Amino acid sequence: MFFTYLRRELRRRRKAALVVASGLALGIALVIVVTSVSAGMSKAQDKVLQSLYGLGTDMTVTKAAAPPGSGSERPRFRFDAQDDDSGGEQSSDRVMVQGLQTLAGSTVGKVDAQSGVADAVGGLSLQVVKVSGEFTRGRFQQGESGGQEGGGQEGGRGGGLGGAQPSPQGRVEGGGADFDVNSYSVYGTDVTKPALGPLTSSKITSGRTFKTSETDAKVAVADAAYAKEKKLKAGSTVTVKGTKFQVVGIATADSGDAAANLYIPLRRAQTLADAKDKVTTIYVKATDSQRIDSVKAALQKNISGTTVTTSADLADTVSGSLSTASSLAASVGKWLSVVVLVAAFLVAGLLTSSAVSRRVREFGTLKALGWKSGRVTRQVVGEAVVNGLVGGVLGIALGLAGAYAVTAVSPTLQAQLGSGGGEGLRGGFGGPGRQAATKTLDVALTAPVALTTIALAVGLAVAGGLIAGAFGGWRASRLRPADALRRVE
Protein backbone atom coordinates (compact mmCIF):
# COMPACT_ATOMS: atom_id res chain seq x y z
CA MET A 1 0.00 0.00 0.00
CA PHE A 2 2.81 2.39 0.94
CA PHE A 3 4.70 2.00 -2.36
CA THR A 4 1.51 2.00 -4.44
CA TYR A 5 0.37 5.26 -2.91
CA LEU A 6 3.93 6.66 -3.17
CA ARG A 7 4.20 5.84 -6.87
CA ARG A 8 0.78 7.35 -7.62
CA GLU A 9 1.51 10.58 -5.77
CA LEU A 10 4.92 11.10 -7.36
CA ARG A 11 3.45 10.52 -10.83
CA ARG A 12 0.60 12.92 -10.13
CA ARG A 13 2.91 15.65 -8.75
CA ARG A 14 5.71 15.43 -11.33
CA LYS A 15 6.37 19.17 -11.60
CA ALA A 16 6.68 19.72 -7.86
CA ALA A 17 8.88 16.61 -7.52
CA LEU A 18 11.10 17.79 -10.39
CA VAL A 19 11.54 21.24 -8.81
CA VAL A 20 12.55 19.72 -5.46
CA ALA A 21 14.91 17.20 -7.11
CA SER A 22 16.48 19.86 -9.36
CA GLY A 23 17.22 22.18 -6.43
CA LEU A 24 18.89 19.40 -4.49
CA ALA A 25 20.75 18.23 -7.61
CA LEU A 26 22.24 21.69 -8.17
CA GLY A 27 23.51 21.92 -4.61
CA ILE A 28 24.93 18.40 -4.63
CA ALA A 29 26.61 18.89 -8.01
CA LEU A 30 28.27 22.08 -6.77
CA VAL A 31 29.54 20.25 -3.68
CA ILE A 32 31.04 17.47 -5.85
CA VAL A 33 32.76 19.91 -8.21
CA VAL A 34 34.16 22.08 -5.41
CA THR A 35 35.34 19.05 -3.41
CA SER A 36 36.97 17.52 -6.48
CA VAL A 37 38.69 20.76 -7.47
CA SER A 38 39.95 21.17 -3.89
CA ALA A 39 41.36 17.64 -4.06
CA GLY A 40 43.00 18.54 -7.36
CA MET A 41 44.52 21.65 -5.76
CA SER A 42 45.91 19.56 -2.94
CA LYS A 43 47.30 17.04 -5.42
CA ALA A 44 48.93 19.83 -7.45
CA GLN A 45 50.44 21.35 -4.32
CA ASP A 46 51.79 17.95 -3.25
CA LYS A 47 53.38 17.61 -6.68
CA VAL A 48 55.04 21.01 -6.30
CA LEU A 49 56.34 20.17 -2.83
CA GLN A 50 57.50 16.72 -3.92
CA SER A 51 59.64 18.37 -6.60
CA LEU A 52 61.47 20.13 -3.77
CA TYR A 53 61.99 17.52 -1.07
CA GLY A 54 61.35 14.21 -2.80
CA LEU A 55 58.91 11.39 -2.30
CA GLY A 56 58.39 10.04 1.21
CA THR A 57 59.91 12.97 3.08
CA ASP A 58 57.71 14.52 5.77
CA MET A 59 60.20 17.04 7.16
CA THR A 60 63.82 18.14 7.06
CA VAL A 61 66.29 19.09 9.75
CA THR A 62 68.94 21.71 9.02
CA LYS A 63 71.36 23.75 11.09
CA ALA A 64 69.84 26.85 12.61
CA ALA A 65 70.75 29.97 10.66
CA ALA A 66 73.84 31.79 11.90
CA PRO A 67 73.69 35.51 12.69
CA PRO A 68 74.17 37.77 9.64
CA GLY A 69 77.81 38.24 8.74
CA SER A 70 79.10 35.26 10.70
CA GLY A 71 80.60 32.22 9.04
CA SER A 72 80.83 33.92 5.66
CA GLU A 73 83.65 32.86 3.40
CA ARG A 74 84.87 34.18 0.09
CA PRO A 75 86.02 31.66 -2.51
CA ARG A 76 89.75 31.98 -3.21
CA PHE A 77 91.57 30.64 -6.23
CA ARG A 78 95.32 30.12 -6.41
CA PHE A 79 97.34 29.60 -9.60
CA ASP A 80 100.97 28.55 -9.95
CA ALA A 81 103.51 30.83 -11.62
CA GLN A 82 104.72 29.77 -15.04
CA ASP A 83 108.29 30.24 -16.32
CA ASP A 84 107.52 29.95 -19.98
CA ASP A 85 106.47 32.89 -22.07
CA SER A 86 103.01 31.57 -22.92
CA GLY A 87 101.83 31.29 -19.34
CA GLY A 88 99.97 28.04 -20.05
CA GLU A 89 96.39 26.94 -19.37
CA GLN A 90 95.41 26.61 -15.73
CA SER A 91 92.28 25.65 -13.83
CA SER A 92 91.14 25.53 -10.25
CA ASP A 93 88.06 24.02 -8.58
CA ARG A 94 86.54 25.40 -5.41
CA VAL A 95 84.08 23.06 -3.69
CA MET A 96 81.94 24.82 -1.10
CA VAL A 97 79.21 23.57 1.20
CA GLN A 98 75.90 25.07 0.14
CA GLY A 99 74.93 27.70 2.69
CA LEU A 100 78.12 27.05 4.71
CA GLN A 101 75.98 25.48 7.45
CA THR A 102 76.62 21.83 8.36
CA LEU A 103 75.51 19.35 10.99
CA ALA A 104 77.55 16.53 12.46
CA GLY A 105 76.85 13.19 10.84
CA SER A 106 75.96 11.78 14.27
CA THR A 107 72.89 14.06 14.25
CA VAL A 108 71.28 11.74 11.71
CA GLY A 109 71.33 8.91 14.27
CA LYS A 110 69.90 11.18 16.96
CA VAL A 111 67.04 12.20 14.69
CA ASP A 112 66.38 8.59 13.68
CA ALA A 113 66.16 7.59 17.36
CA GLN A 114 63.36 10.06 18.13
CA SER A 115 59.86 8.76 18.80
CA GLY A 116 57.63 8.94 15.74
CA VAL A 117 60.51 8.88 13.24
CA ALA A 118 60.38 5.97 10.80
CA ASP A 119 63.62 6.77 9.00
CA ALA A 120 66.18 9.56 8.59
CA VAL A 121 68.93 10.08 6.04
CA GLY A 122 71.55 12.80 5.64
CA GLY A 123 72.67 14.64 2.54
CA LEU A 124 75.41 17.14 1.69
CA SER A 125 74.70 19.98 -0.72
CA LEU A 126 77.74 21.38 -2.51
CA GLN A 127 78.43 24.18 -4.94
CA VAL A 128 81.40 23.77 -7.27
CA VAL A 129 83.00 26.80 -8.91
CA LYS A 130 85.54 25.96 -11.59
CA VAL A 131 87.79 28.68 -13.00
CA SER A 132 89.82 27.69 -16.05
CA GLY A 133 91.80 29.60 -18.67
CA GLU A 134 95.26 30.85 -19.45
CA PHE A 135 97.61 33.77 -18.91
CA THR A 136 99.54 35.29 -21.81
CA ARG A 137 102.66 37.38 -21.10
CA GLY A 138 103.00 40.77 -22.70
CA ARG A 139 106.00 41.91 -24.80
CA PHE A 140 108.02 44.99 -23.84
CA GLN A 141 108.69 47.16 -26.91
CA GLN A 142 111.66 49.61 -26.44
CA GLY A 143 111.29 53.10 -27.92
CA GLU A 144 113.80 55.88 -28.96
CA SER A 145 116.04 57.82 -26.50
CA GLY A 146 114.14 60.63 -24.91
CA GLY A 147 117.07 62.77 -23.50
CA GLN A 148 117.97 66.31 -24.57
CA GLU A 149 120.19 66.40 -27.65
CA GLY A 150 122.96 68.74 -26.33
CA GLY A 151 123.04 67.27 -22.93
CA GLY A 152 123.33 63.88 -24.40
CA GLN A 153 126.43 64.78 -26.37
CA GLU A 154 128.14 66.45 -23.47
CA GLY A 155 127.41 63.60 -21.28
CA GLY A 156 128.73 61.28 -23.88
CA ARG A 157 132.01 63.06 -24.18
CA GLY A 158 132.91 64.01 -20.73
CA GLY A 159 130.26 62.58 -18.55
CA GLY A 160 129.62 66.05 -17.13
CA LEU A 161 127.41 66.54 -14.17
CA GLY A 162 124.77 68.22 -16.22
CA GLY A 163 124.46 65.38 -18.68
CA ALA A 164 121.35 63.17 -18.71
CA GLN A 165 121.80 59.41 -18.74
CA PRO A 166 119.97 57.67 -21.62
CA SER A 167 116.65 56.22 -20.34
CA PRO A 168 115.06 53.83 -22.77
CA GLN A 169 111.30 54.29 -23.16
CA GLY A 170 108.75 51.76 -24.40
CA ARG A 171 105.48 49.94 -23.69
CA VAL A 172 104.07 46.48 -23.04
CA GLU A 173 102.08 45.06 -25.90
CA GLY A 174 99.81 42.01 -25.90
CA GLY A 175 99.35 39.67 -22.96
CA GLY A 176 96.44 39.29 -20.55
CA ALA A 177 94.22 36.58 -19.18
CA ASP A 178 91.21 34.71 -20.55
CA PHE A 179 89.35 32.69 -17.91
CA ASP A 180 85.97 30.98 -17.86
CA VAL A 181 83.92 30.49 -14.69
CA ASN A 182 81.65 27.44 -14.50
CA SER A 183 79.40 26.87 -11.49
CA TYR A 184 77.27 23.81 -10.84
CA SER A 185 75.71 21.99 -7.91
CA VAL A 186 76.62 18.57 -6.56
CA TYR A 187 74.60 16.62 -4.01
CA GLY A 188 76.01 13.90 -1.83
CA THR A 189 73.29 11.33 -1.20
CA ASP A 190 73.24 8.32 1.10
CA VAL A 191 73.12 5.46 -1.39
CA THR A 192 72.24 2.95 1.34
CA LYS A 193 68.78 4.55 1.75
CA PRO A 194 67.49 5.33 -1.74
CA ALA A 195 63.88 5.80 -0.58
CA LEU A 196 64.62 9.20 0.98
CA GLY A 197 66.36 12.33 -0.25
CA PRO A 198 66.09 14.75 -3.15
CA LEU A 199 66.94 12.18 -5.82
CA THR A 200 63.51 10.60 -5.22
CA SER A 201 61.92 13.63 -6.91
CA SER A 202 63.49 12.50 -10.20
CA LYS A 203 63.06 9.42 -12.35
CA ILE A 204 65.96 7.49 -13.88
CA THR A 205 65.38 7.73 -17.64
CA SER A 206 68.71 6.34 -18.79
CA GLY A 207 71.20 4.00 -17.18
CA ARG A 208 70.67 3.14 -13.52
CA THR A 209 70.63 4.65 -10.07
CA PHE A 210 73.19 4.03 -7.32
CA LYS A 211 73.78 0.60 -5.85
CA THR A 212 73.67 0.31 -2.07
CA SER A 213 77.25 -0.97 -2.14
CA GLU A 214 78.61 2.14 -3.89
CA THR A 215 79.09 4.16 -0.71
CA ASP A 216 82.59 5.31 -1.73
CA ALA A 217 82.52 4.65 -5.46
CA LYS A 218 83.45 7.25 -8.07
CA VAL A 219 80.05 7.19 -9.75
CA ALA A 220 77.52 9.90 -10.43
CA VAL A 221 73.94 10.40 -11.59
CA ALA A 222 73.42 13.50 -13.75
CA ASP A 223 70.30 15.60 -14.06
CA ALA A 224 68.80 15.35 -17.55
CA ALA A 225 68.93 19.11 -18.21
CA TYR A 226 72.56 19.36 -17.09
CA ALA A 227 73.48 16.22 -19.07
CA LYS A 228 71.96 17.73 -22.20
CA GLU A 229 73.86 20.98 -21.69
CA LYS A 230 77.19 19.21 -21.12
CA LYS A 231 76.46 16.39 -23.61
CA LEU A 232 76.70 13.70 -20.97
CA LYS A 233 75.21 10.23 -21.14
CA ALA A 234 75.39 7.00 -19.19
CA GLY A 235 79.02 5.91 -19.41
CA SER A 236 80.47 9.43 -19.70
CA THR A 237 82.93 10.80 -17.17
CA VAL A 238 82.91 14.08 -15.29
CA THR A 239 85.75 15.59 -13.28
CA VAL A 240 85.12 17.32 -9.97
CA LYS A 241 88.16 18.82 -8.23
CA GLY A 242 90.54 16.46 -10.02
CA THR A 243 88.46 13.33 -9.32
CA LYS A 244 86.88 11.54 -12.26
CA PHE A 245 83.37 10.17 -11.80
CA GLN A 246 81.62 7.80 -14.17
CA VAL A 247 78.03 8.80 -15.01
CA VAL A 248 75.95 5.68 -14.40
CA GLY A 249 72.52 7.20 -14.94
CA ILE A 250 70.49 10.20 -16.13
CA ALA A 251 67.68 11.44 -13.86
CA THR A 252 64.74 13.52 -15.08
CA ALA A 253 62.87 15.64 -12.54
CA ASP A 254 59.19 14.74 -12.27
CA SER A 255 58.26 18.44 -12.14
CA GLY A 256 60.27 21.63 -12.12
CA ASP A 257 64.02 21.75 -11.62
CA ALA A 258 66.14 18.98 -10.18
CA ALA A 259 67.69 19.27 -6.73
CA ALA A 260 71.22 19.28 -8.18
CA ASN A 261 73.16 18.98 -11.41
CA LEU A 262 75.11 15.95 -10.22
CA TYR A 263 74.47 13.36 -7.51
CA ILE A 264 77.35 11.41 -6.00
CA PRO A 265 77.72 9.11 -2.96
CA LEU A 266 77.67 11.03 0.33
CA ARG A 267 81.10 9.87 1.46
CA ARG A 268 82.68 11.05 -1.79
CA ALA A 269 80.98 14.43 -1.45
CA GLN A 270 82.32 14.81 2.08
CA THR A 271 85.83 14.06 0.85
CA LEU A 272 85.62 16.61 -1.97
CA ALA A 273 84.42 19.38 0.36
CA ASP A 274 86.79 18.42 3.18
CA ALA A 275 83.69 17.99 5.35
CA LYS A 276 84.20 14.58 6.91
CA ASP A 277 81.10 13.27 8.71
CA LYS A 278 79.17 16.43 7.88
CA VAL A 279 75.72 16.88 6.34
CA THR A 280 73.67 19.93 5.38
CA THR A 281 70.20 18.37 5.43
CA ILE A 282 68.54 15.46 7.21
CA TYR A 283 65.46 14.07 5.46
CA VAL A 284 62.92 12.58 7.90
CA LYS A 285 60.00 10.23 7.36
CA ALA A 286 57.40 10.01 10.13
CA THR A 287 55.76 6.78 11.24
CA ASP A 288 52.33 8.42 11.02
CA SER A 289 51.37 11.41 8.86
CA GLN A 290 49.02 12.53 11.65
CA ARG A 291 51.94 12.90 14.08
CA ILE A 292 54.13 15.21 12.03
CA ASP A 293 53.51 18.24 14.26
CA SER A 294 54.34 16.31 17.43
CA VAL A 295 57.48 14.83 15.85
CA LYS A 296 58.56 18.31 14.78
CA ALA A 297 58.09 19.61 18.33
CA ALA A 298 60.11 16.69 19.75
CA LEU A 299 62.98 17.25 17.30
CA GLN A 300 63.14 20.96 18.09
CA LYS A 301 63.16 20.22 21.80
CA ASN A 302 65.66 17.34 21.86
CA ILE A 303 68.12 18.43 19.15
CA SER A 304 69.29 21.97 19.76
CA GLY A 305 70.72 24.29 17.14
CA THR A 306 68.56 22.94 14.33
CA THR A 307 65.63 24.12 12.25
CA VAL A 308 62.85 21.64 11.47
CA THR A 309 60.74 22.31 8.39
CA THR A 310 57.65 20.32 7.43
CA SER A 311 55.88 20.18 4.11
CA ALA A 312 53.05 22.19 5.68
CA ASP A 313 55.54 24.97 6.52
CA LEU A 314 56.75 25.04 2.95
CA ALA A 315 53.18 24.95 1.61
CA ASP A 316 52.61 28.35 3.22
CA THR A 317 55.30 29.80 0.94
CA VAL A 318 53.58 28.68 -2.27
CA SER A 319 52.25 31.68 -4.18
CA GLY A 320 51.00 32.34 -7.68
CA SER A 321 47.79 31.25 -9.38
CA LEU A 322 47.87 27.85 -7.63
CA SER A 323 47.71 29.53 -4.23
CA THR A 324 44.98 31.93 -5.38
CA ALA A 325 42.84 29.18 -6.89
CA SER A 326 43.34 27.00 -3.82
CA SER A 327 42.17 29.82 -1.55
CA LEU A 328 39.10 30.40 -3.70
CA ALA A 329 38.22 26.71 -3.74
CA ALA A 330 38.76 26.39 0.01
CA SER A 331 36.86 29.49 1.07
CA VAL A 332 34.57 30.98 -1.57
CA GLY A 333 33.74 27.66 -3.21
CA LYS A 334 32.90 25.84 0.00
CA TRP A 335 30.83 28.68 1.39
CA LEU A 336 28.98 28.94 -1.92
CA SER A 337 28.25 25.22 -1.75
CA VAL A 338 26.91 25.56 1.78
CA VAL A 339 24.68 28.50 0.81
CA VAL A 340 23.29 26.69 -2.23
CA LEU A 341 22.66 23.52 -0.21
CA VAL A 342 20.89 25.38 2.56
CA ALA A 343 18.76 27.21 0.00
CA ALA A 344 17.96 23.92 -1.76
CA PHE A 345 16.96 22.26 1.54
CA LEU A 346 14.74 25.19 2.51
CA VAL A 347 13.07 25.28 -0.90
CA ALA A 348 12.49 21.53 -0.80
CA GLY A 349 10.99 21.81 2.69
CA LEU A 350 8.75 24.72 1.80
CA LEU A 351 7.52 23.06 -1.40
CA THR A 352 6.78 19.83 0.45
CA SER A 353 4.93 21.72 3.19
CA SER A 354 2.97 23.64 0.58
CA ALA A 355 2.04 20.39 -1.18
CA VAL A 356 0.76 18.99 2.12
CA SER A 357 -1.39 22.09 2.58
CA ARG A 358 -3.00 21.45 -0.81
CA ARG A 359 -3.71 17.85 0.20
CA VAL A 360 -5.62 18.66 3.40
CA ARG A 361 -8.81 17.03 2.19
CA GLU A 362 -6.89 13.96 1.00
CA PHE A 363 -5.08 13.42 4.30
CA GLY A 364 -8.16 14.30 6.35
CA THR A 365 -10.15 11.67 4.47
CA LEU A 366 -7.40 9.08 4.99
CA LYS A 367 -7.43 9.78 8.71
CA ALA A 368 -11.22 9.44 8.72
CA LEU A 369 -10.74 6.03 7.09
CA GLY A 370 -8.43 4.92 9.89
CA TRP A 371 -4.94 6.13 8.95
CA LYS A 372 -3.04 7.23 12.02
CA SER A 373 -0.95 10.42 12.08
CA GLY A 374 2.27 8.41 12.11
CA ARG A 375 1.31 6.61 8.92
CA VAL A 376 0.46 9.86 7.17
CA THR A 377 3.75 11.37 8.32
CA ARG A 378 5.73 8.37 7.08
CA GLN A 379 3.99 8.63 3.72
CA VAL A 380 4.98 12.29 3.34
CA VAL A 381 8.56 11.64 4.51
CA GLY A 382 8.88 8.70 2.11
CA GLU A 383 7.84 10.85 -0.83
CA ALA A 384 10.35 13.55 0.18
CA VAL A 385 13.20 11.02 0.57
CA VAL A 386 12.50 9.61 -2.89
CA ASN A 387 12.62 13.16 -4.28
CA GLY A 388 15.92 13.64 -2.47
CA LEU A 389 17.38 10.43 -3.91
CA VAL A 390 16.30 11.43 -7.41
CA GLY A 391 17.95 14.79 -6.83
CA GLY A 392 21.05 12.98 -5.56
CA VAL A 393 21.30 10.87 -8.71
CA LEU A 394 20.93 13.96 -10.90
CA GLY A 395 23.42 15.86 -8.73
CA ILE A 396 26.02 13.10 -8.90
CA ALA A 397 25.65 12.97 -12.67
CA LEU A 398 26.05 16.75 -12.99
CA GLY A 399 28.94 16.80 -10.52
CA LEU A 400 30.82 14.02 -12.33
CA ALA A 401 30.28 15.83 -15.63
CA GLY A 402 31.64 19.06 -14.16
CA ALA A 403 34.68 17.33 -12.63
CA TYR A 404 35.37 15.54 -15.92
CA ALA A 405 35.17 18.87 -17.77
CA VAL A 406 37.75 20.41 -15.42
CA THR A 407 40.07 17.42 -15.87
CA ALA A 408 39.61 17.44 -19.65
CA VAL A 409 40.44 21.15 -19.90
CA SER A 410 43.30 20.83 -17.34
CA PRO A 411 43.90 24.55 -16.80
CA THR A 412 47.54 25.33 -16.12
CA LEU A 413 48.35 26.95 -12.78
CA GLN A 414 51.62 28.48 -11.69
CA ALA A 415 53.27 27.90 -8.33
CA GLN A 416 56.05 30.17 -7.18
CA LEU A 417 58.55 29.25 -4.50
CA GLY A 418 61.43 31.46 -3.47
CA SER A 419 63.43 32.94 -0.65
CA GLY A 420 60.25 34.25 0.89
CA GLY A 421 59.91 30.91 2.61
CA GLY A 422 62.27 32.01 5.37
CA GLU A 423 64.67 29.71 7.12
CA GLY A 424 62.76 26.64 6.03
CA LEU A 425 64.22 27.05 2.57
CA ARG A 426 67.80 27.53 3.76
CA GLY A 427 69.35 24.29 2.62
CA GLY A 428 66.26 22.38 3.69
CA PHE A 429 63.25 21.54 1.57
CA GLY A 430 64.35 24.14 -0.91
CA GLY A 431 67.30 21.99 -1.87
CA PRO A 432 70.60 23.06 -3.37
CA GLY A 433 70.81 26.42 -5.02
CA ARG A 434 67.24 27.45 -4.32
CA GLN A 435 67.80 29.92 -1.51
CA ALA A 436 68.33 32.96 -3.65
CA ALA A 437 66.08 32.67 -6.68
CA THR A 438 62.35 32.39 -7.08
CA LYS A 439 61.25 29.17 -8.69
CA THR A 440 58.14 28.95 -10.88
CA LEU A 441 56.43 25.67 -11.74
CA ASP A 442 53.56 25.04 -14.14
CA VAL A 443 51.06 22.49 -12.84
CA ALA A 444 48.02 21.10 -14.69
CA LEU A 445 44.87 21.13 -12.55
CA THR A 446 42.72 18.01 -12.36
CA ALA A 447 39.52 17.28 -10.43
CA PRO A 448 39.62 13.68 -9.16
CA VAL A 449 36.37 12.39 -7.66
CA ALA A 450 36.84 10.11 -4.67
CA LEU A 451 34.38 7.50 -3.41
CA THR A 452 34.04 9.51 -0.21
CA THR A 453 32.75 12.41 -2.33
CA ILE A 454 30.09 10.17 -3.87
CA ALA A 455 29.13 8.92 -0.40
CA LEU A 456 28.88 12.54 0.76
CA ALA A 457 26.58 13.31 -2.16
CA VAL A 458 24.30 10.37 -1.29
CA GLY A 459 24.24 11.49 2.35
CA LEU A 460 23.29 15.03 1.33
CA ALA A 461 20.52 13.69 -0.90
CA VAL A 462 19.05 11.64 1.95
CA ALA A 463 19.48 14.56 4.35
CA GLY A 464 17.70 16.90 1.93
CA GLY A 465 14.81 14.46 1.62
CA LEU A 466 14.55 14.04 5.38
CA ILE A 467 14.57 17.80 5.95
CA ALA A 468 11.87 18.31 3.33
CA GLY A 469 9.92 15.39 4.78
CA ALA A 470 10.22 16.87 8.28
CA PHE A 471 8.54 20.07 7.08
CA GLY A 472 5.74 18.18 5.34
CA GLY A 473 5.38 15.53 8.03
CA TRP A 474 5.01 18.12 10.76
CA ARG A 475 2.29 19.84 8.72
CA ALA A 476 0.52 16.55 7.94
CA SER A 477 0.59 15.36 11.57
CA ARG A 478 -1.44 18.41 12.62
CA LEU A 479 -4.32 17.68 10.26
CA ARG A 480 -7.64 16.42 11.66
CA PRO A 481 -10.46 14.56 9.89
CA ALA A 482 -12.74 17.59 10.45
CA ASP A 483 -10.42 19.64 8.21
CA ALA A 484 -11.40 17.50 5.27
CA LEU A 485 -15.09 18.11 5.86
CA ARG A 486 -14.60 21.87 5.86
CA ARG A 487 -12.99 21.60 2.39
CA VAL A 488 -15.99 19.72 0.93
CA GLU A 489 -18.12 22.01 -1.24
Side-chain angles (χ1 to χ4, degrees), residues 151-243:
Q153 293 175 352
E154 290 294 331
R157 286 193 301 265
L161 296 175
Q165 296 294 332
S167 57
Q169 294 183 355
R171 60 181 179 179
V172 177
E173 292 183 352
D178 183 14
F179 280 81
D180 177 61
V181 179
N182 179 29
S183 177
Y184 57 95
S185 56
V186 176
Y187 202 91
T189 182
D190 190 341
V191 298
T192 63
K193 296 183 178 181
L196 280 179
L199 187 55
T200 58
S201 64
S202 299
K203 183 182 299 183
I204 301 297
T205 52
S206 177
R208 62 173 177 85
T209 187
F210 297 109
K211 297 178 181 178
T212 56
S213 59
E214 294 176 328
T215 56
D216 198 28
K218 298 177 182 179
V219 292
V221 172
D223 171 57
Y226 183 75
K228 182 178 180 181
E229 177 187 351
K230 300 299 181 180
K231 298 180 180 180
L232 300 175
K233 60 182 180 180
S236 301
T237 59
V238 292
T239 302
V240 182
K241 199 179 180 180
T243 303

Side-chain angles (χ1 to χ4, degrees), residues 52-229:
L52 297 178
Y53 58 77
L55 184 66
T57 303
D58 293 316
M59 66 192 78
T60 59
V61 179
T62 56
K63 187 176 180 62
S70 64
S72 60
E73 182 182 353
R74 291 175 177 268
R76 300 180 62 184
F77 297 89
R78 182 172 299 171
F79 298 96
D80 296 330
Q82 299 285 346
D83 294 331
D84 60 322
D85 291 339
S86 63
E89 183 175 349
Q90 300 190 51
S91 66
S92 178
D93 287 5
R94 184 72 167 89
V95 181
M96 299 172 291
V97 175
Q98 191 76 257
L100 303 173
Q101 299 288 331
T102 59
L103 293 168
S106 58
T107 310
V108 179
K110 294 179 181 178
V111 171
D112 196 16
Q114 298 298 311
S115 175
V117 174
D119 201 1
V121 62
L124 184 65
S125 176
L126 304 177
Q127 190 72 21
V128 181
V129 180
K130 180 181 180 65
V131 178
S132 58
E134 62 180 358
F135 293 102
T136 303
R137 292 188 178 185
R139 299 285 183 177
F140 181 79
Q141 300 293 335
Q142 185 173 356
E144 298 294 333
S145 173
Q148 295 181 356
E149 184 178 352
Q153 293 175 352
E154 290 294 331
R157 286 193 301 265
L161 296 175
Q165 296 294 332
S167 57
Q169 294 183 355
R171 60 181 179 179
V172 177
E173 292 183 352
D178 183 14
F179 280 81
D180 177 61
V181 179
N182 179 29
S183 177
Y184 57 95
S185 56
V186 176
Y187 202 91
T189 182
D190 190 341
V191 298
T192 63
K193 296 183 178 181
L196 280 179
L199 187 55
T200 58
S201 64
S202 299
K203 183 182 299 183
I204 301 297
T205 52
S206 177
R208 62 173 177 85
T209 187
F210 297 109
K211 297 178 181 178
T212 56
S213 59
E214 294 176 328
T215 56
D216 198 28
K218 298 177 182 179
V219 292
V221 172
D223 171 57
Y226 183 75
K228 182 178 180 181
E229 177 187 351

Side-chain angles (χ1 to χ4, degrees), residues 216-286:
D216 198 28
K218 298 177 182 179
V219 292
V221 172
D223 171 57
Y226 183 75
K228 182 178 180 181
E229 177 187 351
K230 300 299 181 180
K231 298 180 180 180
L232 300 175
K233 60 182 180 180
S236 301
T237 59
V238 292
T239 302
V240 182
K241 199 179 180 180
T243 303
K244 290 186 177 181
F245 291 84
Q246 182 183 10
V247 178
V248 295
I250 305 297
T252 303
D254 288 337
S255 62
D257 298 331
N261 299 132
L262 292 174
Y263 303 89
I264 62 176
L266 176 59
R267 190 177 300 176
R268 276 289 167 185
Q270 292 170 336
T271 301
L272 288 176
D274 194 20
K276 185 178 180 181
D277 295 329
K278 299 290 184 180
V279 295
T280 52
T281 308
I282 301 174
Y283 296 84
V284 183
K285 181 179 181 180

